[in-house]
Amino acid sequence: MIGDYEYPSMEAFHASGRRCGSYKSKEDIDRDEAEHQEILESILSSSSNLRSRVDTLQLGVVTNVNLHIHVIMSSSGLGNVSSTMIDSQVNVLNQDFNSLSFQFVVKSVDYTQNDQWYTMGYGSSAERLAKNALRKGTAADLNLYFANIGGGLLGWATFPADYRRNPKNDGAVILSATLPGLLTYYNHVVP
């Protein structure tokens, strides 16, 4: 559903040419912009931190990002994804971020059967409950939640500045069907 219109299928949504996005209120955007400015000023005032990251890229030093993967399924087992599919997705991440000297390393994978969480929507109580129960690691880790998410979305993620206000909400929620090898219409590059 986008606005007041519900698409009859994912195929109809894709054919419409609409794309997913995140929606924030003007107040949230203004607060984020102020925090981003504060972070940028902190980075620029501490040129040694910036110089260190540039040196790291030039020296080919790789920064590992720990992944905590949460597969959320229906009570009947719909949405179960194999370790092969997870490995394929991690390989895609590593290929895409290799030039930036980031490598993603799977630290944990868990499987949860919960019908409400399986069809969670953006900003829903189901999302909040799932993340509060499943999230692992620190701000340096990336939590990925795979489910049959609602609203016709392919996924959503929180912004780095949001972590300070709500660390339990951190992470990316992804439509399971977009994993490599499942639905072929997701396996192409959009210009």
Side-chain angles (χ1 to χ4, degrees):
M1 177 172 268
I2 305 292
D4 292 330
Y5 182 76
E6 184 171 345
Y7 290 88
S9 66
M10 278 197 280
E11 291 81 6
F13 172 74
H14 293 246
S16 75
R18 302 273 320 244
R19 294 293 178 256
C20 298
S22 61
Y23 301 95
K24 288 190 157 202
S25 70
K26 171 95 169 89
E27 295 79 25
D28 286 343
I29 291 170
D30 290 345
R31 185 178 60 238
D32 287 349
E33 287 298 323
E35 282 189 31
H36 293 159
Q37 186 64 36
E38 176 186 318
I39 292 167
L40 178 61
E41 287 170 8
S42 171
I43 290 170
L44 293 176
S45 68
S46 175
S47 61
S48 64
N49 286 344
L50 184 57
R51 180 78 245 159
S52 172
R53 185 66 188 146
V54 170
D55 290 343
T56 297
L57 289 172
Q58 290 172 346
L59 294 172
V61 176
V62 175
T63 300
N64 287 331
V65 177
N66 294 330
L67 294 178
H68 298 284
I69 297 173
H70 312 284
V71 178
I72 303 171
M73 305 172 289
S74 71
S75 59
S76 65
L78 290 174
N80 189 7
V81 298
S82 69
S83 59
T84 302
M85 288 183 234
I86 291 170
D87 291 344
S88 293
Q89 183 60 61
V90 173
N91 287 338
V92 169
L93 283 170
N94 283 326
Q95 288 170 9
D96 289 348
F97 287 89
N98 183 49
S99 65
L100 297 173
S101 297
F102 286 99
Q103 180 175 350
F104 296 88
V105 179
V106 177
K107 285 297 181 183
S108 69
V109 178
D110 55 66
Y111 293 83
T112 302
Q113 289 183 302
N114 185 305
D115 291 324
Q116 286 75 38
W117 298 357
Y118 178 59
T119 57
M120 74 174 84
Y122 175 76
S124 67
S125 62
E127 177 190 9
R128 182 179 47 76
L129 292 170
K131 286 180 171 181
N132 277 310
L134 301 175
R135 190 181 189 296
K136 295 180 180 176
T138 68
D141 299 328
L142 178 57
N143 280 256
L144 301 177
Y145 303 86
F146 292 103
N148 185 32
I149 57 178
L153 299 174
L154 301 178
W156 61 85
T158 56
F159 293 96
D162 295 337
Y163 185 83
R164 282 191 228 170
R165 285 187 299 277
N166 190 357
K168 282 287 196 176
N169 192 42
D170 188 47
V173 179
I174 303 163
L175 178 65
S176 299
T178 62
L179 283 165
L182 287 178
L183 299 176
T184 58
Y185 52 83
Y186 294 121
N187 296 332
H188 66 278
V189 177
V190 178

